[in-house]
Amino acid sequence: MSGLNIYFSDFFNIDEDIIESYGAINISLINDLPLFVDPFLLFNSEKPEYQKIHSDIISYLLFLQEQAKKYPNPPAGMLAAWYHFSEVKQTWLGFSLEGNSGRGLGHDFAINIHRGLQTIFKDFGKETITRSSHLEKLCLISRLVGRDKISDFTTNFTKKYLLEYTEAFATTYLEPRQCLKFSVPRVEFCTGTHIWKSREYTLPCYKGDYVLLTPRDMLTRDDTFINRADMIRNLQNIAPSVEDAALRFALNQYFSDVLQHKKKEMSRTEKECAANALIAEHPEIIDHYIKYKEDNEEQATSISKQVVQEVKQLFNCQLQELTTLLHKHTDFYRSSGNSRDEAYRRVIFLKNVIEDMDGYRIFYINGKPLRRENDLQIMYRLVWYATEFDINREVNNGRGPVDFKVSKGARDSTLVEFKLASNTKLKKNLSNQVEIYKAANQTDRAIKVILYFSENEYAKVNGVLNEIGLQECPDIVLIDATGNKPSASNAG
């Protein structure tokens, strides 16, 4: 380790192997890691305590369904009391673009759920095809309910377990001075009084707030195991198990008339529109899809283990290696100059470590290069934090977001964007966005960093730069992350 504080283990001075053996993720206390609780993993678990969380979620939705019948036009107080949920930011997991604060579940989510329980979701709890009701049905019916909403809702019902899980860890492994007693609101819903109750817990304390640890085996990354895109992709796999003759005929017509006998290959959007129309006409397809996922439930655990391991490998193991290289071999963590000098200097240090000190290996997972720009941006955010400068991700000022704004006071700021050469919109971004960001943020300084993983990607980037006249621009920095470089120790 570099001696820099990034992870829970660093801030609380505890061996990360203890966290690992406890079954938890060693979270970063600088920025959310891109993981979230998947309700299907709760349903599918052999642990009774996980199954109870899933059962509590279904029971609560059934309670809301009863209230939707009683109050077709719900008062604002009712929505706030029963439908609004804050993000459980103390897990340091999820989709936050900066730090660990998300938007939670507000008025739009409340209205969508309330209306859905009265109409398209009215048969919830009465399913005959599936083994259980599932929260994810919300995102299958409405495209307005995505993985972030499902995640926030699920985590709010997992919160009680996480509080107890973390308190037990803190009591066993942490010093009393590292913890405080917190009164936590909305921990448990009382079915008799219909009121959310608070509870007190002794928990790890960081910057005046509590921290929650989360078990690895309830987490996933890209999407819930049950999700709308997967349902559309799997329509062909669903069809053989459908016993209803009319529905099976409709599915076969969809494959025959829409997908197989077109003179021209349909676009992805056209296929999705056709599938959406089919599902709207035959909503029972949703239950057949959920049954298909229940029948293949072992895949959920397998996917979870793989993606959680990848996140650990990238954001824990490999990121620690990167910070160690930067700390040991460069002045990356010593501040000097204005924001432009500081930002540019650190980018060049990063380039040096990646190209000349075998740092390129850090940007590969299972031998394959990064393909998510978000991963690259999170990594840079995590290695940058130890500075007197303010750094904010995805500054959105009405004219579009930028990856980072580095500032030292109101009049000294620099924009930094990280891009992968594989980005299909790279040319458009290079041509237009930086100038817009400069005007919007009142700064005339901007740095573009482009990471490439092959000679073809390098040629593509150079072609774009030549075409738009930016080949000699000093504020565009290309970083060579191609593999098979000679080791620095062997280079002559």
Side-chain angles (χ1 to χ4, degrees):
M1 281 294 294
S2 64
L4 302 168
N5 291 337
I6 300 177
Y7 307 99
F8 182 95
S9 57
D10 302 329
F11 285 98
F12 290 92
N13 193 28
I14 185 169
D15 194 316
E16 58 187 311
D17 288 342
I18 293 175
I19 301 170
E20 177 82 11
S21 63
Y22 194 69
I25 287 288
N26 188 17
I27 50 177
S28 161
L29 300 186
I30 305 301
N31 205 90
D32 277 355
L33 294 183
L35 295 167
F36 62 94
V37 179
D38 186 342
F40 194 87
L41 290 170
L42 303 176
F43 161 79
N44 186 45
S45 176
E46 295 181 356
K47 297 179 179 178
E49 56 269 35
Y50 286 17
Q51 295 173 15
K52 183 180 184 305
I53 298 170
H54 189 268
S55 176
D56 288 345
I57 292 172
I58 302 307
S59 296
Y60 191 76
L61 285 170
L62 292 173
F63 161 73
L64 292 183
Q65 189 177 58
E66 290 179 10
Q67 306 314 309
K69 293 176 184 176
K70 294 178 184 177
Y71 303 99
N73 299 304
M78 171 182 162
L79 293 178
W82 292 338
Y83 292 81
H84 290 196
F85 292 90
S86 300
E87 184 200 30
V88 185
K89 65 178 183 177
Q90 294 84 359
T91 62
W92 289 88
L93 301 170
F95 310 97
S96 295
L97 299 176
E98 168 65 20
N100 68 326
S101 294
R103 290 174 292 182
L105 305 174
H107 185 71
D108 290 345
F109 175 82
I111 292 298
N112 270 322
I113 293 292
H114 186 79
R115 288 175 179 168
L117 290 169
Q118 292 174 300
T119 55
I120 53 179
F121 208 40
K122 62 185 178 182
D123 292 331
F124 185 79
K126 305 181 185 69
E127 295 88 352
T128 58
I129 296 172
T130 61
R131 288 174 12 219
S132 170
S133 299
H134 291 269
L135 167 65
E136 303 93 309
K137 201 169 184 180
L138 295 169
C139 68
L140 301 181
I141 294 172
S142 172
R143 280 169 288 184
L144 299 175
V145 180
R147 61 179 185 175
D148 55 337
K149 306 298 184 188
I150 296 295
S151 168
D152 283 345
F153 195 89
T154 304
T155 307
N156 268 276
F157 283 85
T158 312
K159 184 165 69 171
K160 182 175 183 289
Y161 176 82
L162 298 182
L163 287 161
E164 294 169 352
Y165 179 82
T166 306
E167 185 176 54
F169 179 91
T171 302
T172 305
Y173 297 109
L174 300 184
E175 300 291 333
R177 61 181 174 78
Q178 296 174 308
C179 305
L180 281 178
K181 183 171 284 189
F182 292 89
S183 178
V184 183
R186 296 175 68 89
V187 171
E188 189 172 18
F189 186 70
C190 178
T191 56
T193 61
H194 298 168
I195 293 174
W196 281 93
K197 294 182 178 180
S198 301
R199 292 279 187 270
E200 283 193 345
Y201 296 89
T202 299
L203 299 164
C205 181
Y206 172 67
K207 290 187 175 180
D209 197 6
Y210 62 90
V211 178
L212 291 176
L213 295 175
T214 305
R216 292 187 302 274
D217 60 357
M218 61 170 62
L219 294 171
T220 192
R221 174 167 191 178
D222 293 313
D223 214 331
T224 51
F225 184 61
I226 294 174
N227 66 82
R228 190 177 180 86
D230 182 73
M231 176 174 65
I232 292 172
R233 284 195 302 269
N234 276 293
L235 285 176
Q236 205 150 9
N237 293 324
I238 298 166
S241 64
V242 174
E243 296 180 1
D244 182 273
L247 178 57
R248 190 166 61 250
F249 176 77
L251 280 164
N252 288 333
Q253 283 294 107
Y254 166 74
F255 298 127
S256 176
D257 297 342
V258 179
L259 297 181
Q260 295 177 5
H261 295 301
K262 286 281 185 182
K263 293 180 180 179
K264 186 178 75 171
E265 176 71 17
M266 293 180 71
S267 70
R268 180 177 175 181
T269 301
E270 288 173 328
K271 290 179 180 179
E272 184 171 334
C273 287
N276 288 337
L278 175 71
I279 293 164
E281 184 71 23
H282 298 279
E284 61 270 30
I285 288 174
I286 290 171
D287 283 338
H288 284 281
Y289 163 70
I290 293 175
K291 182 179 186 302
Y292 168 77
K293 298 300 279 187
E294 288 179 342
D295 291 344
N296 292 275
E297 60 188 358
E298 71 283 349
Q299 293 178 8
T301 302
S302 174
I303 292 169
S304 169
K305 287 180 179 178
Q306 178 183 337
V307 298
V308 170
Q309 178 58 34
E310 287 178 359
V311 167
K312 178 190 172 187
Q313 182 66 30
L314 183 61
F315 293 108
N316 291 79
C317 303
Q318 292 175 198
L319 187 70
Q320 286 184 28
E321 184 180 347
L322 178 59
T323 58
T324 299
L325 284 170
L326 289 167
H327 186 68
K328 184 176 180 180
H329 298 290
T330 76
D331 289 329
F332 190 92
Y333 291 106
R334 297 183 182 91
S335 298
S336 64
N338 58 29
S339 67
R340 166 59 170 77
D341 295 339
E342 179 80 351
Y344 190 80
R345 191 175 67 97
R346 290 190 179 210
V347 166
I348 297 305
F349 282 141
L350 189 63
K351 175 180 171 71
N352 183 35
V353 163
I354 293 171
E355 293 185 347
D356 302 327
M357 300 180 191
D358 296 337
Y360 73 92
R361 295 180 290 104
I362 292 157
F363 298 91
Y364 287 74
I365 288 288
N366 298 326
K368 297 180 180 179
L370 291 186
R371 283 293 176 251
R372 297 180 179 91
E373 274 184 352
N374 199 43
D375 287 351
L376 178 62
Q377 293 155 7
I378 291 173
M379 291 180 79
Y380 189 64
R381 172 71 179 94
L382 292 176
V383 300
W384 180 284
Y385 76 97
T387 172
E388 63 190 65
F389 288 83
D390 293 324
I391 178 164
N392 298 301
R393 279 199 67 215
E394 294 288 354
V395 179
N396 199 328
N397 39 44
R399 301 191 184 184
V402 66
D403 293 344
F404 300 100
K405 181 179 179 181
V406 181
S407 58
K408 192 176 184 181
R411 297 184 179 181
D412 182 8
S413 61
T414 298
L415 308 179
V416 183
E417 272 205 292
F418 276 82
K419 296 294 172 189
L420 293 174
S422 57
N423 188 322
T424 56
K425 296 181 180 179
L426 184 64
K427 179 180 176 181
K428 180 180 178 182
N429 179 273
L430 286 168
S431 301
N432 302 323
Q433 288 184 343
V434 169
E435 287 67 32
I436 294 173
Y437 298 150
K438 288 178 186 176
N441 288 284
Q442 299 181 334
T443 175
D444 60 357
R445 290 173 287 194
I447 301 169
K448 287 271 191 178
V449 184
I450 304 171
L451 202 68
Y452 64 90
F453 292 98
S454 69
E455 289 303 318
N456 285 340
E457 288 187 355
Y458 177 68
K460 170 195 168 184
V461 174
N462 272 311
V464 169
L465 293 175
N466 276 320
E467 187 177 342
I468 60 180
L470 291 176
Q471 182 66 41
E472 304 301 323
C473 178
D475 287 332
I476 296 179
V477 180
L478 273 58
I479 297 182
D480 179 3
T482 56
N484 302 316
K485 290 185 176 69
S487 172
S489 61
N490 297 326

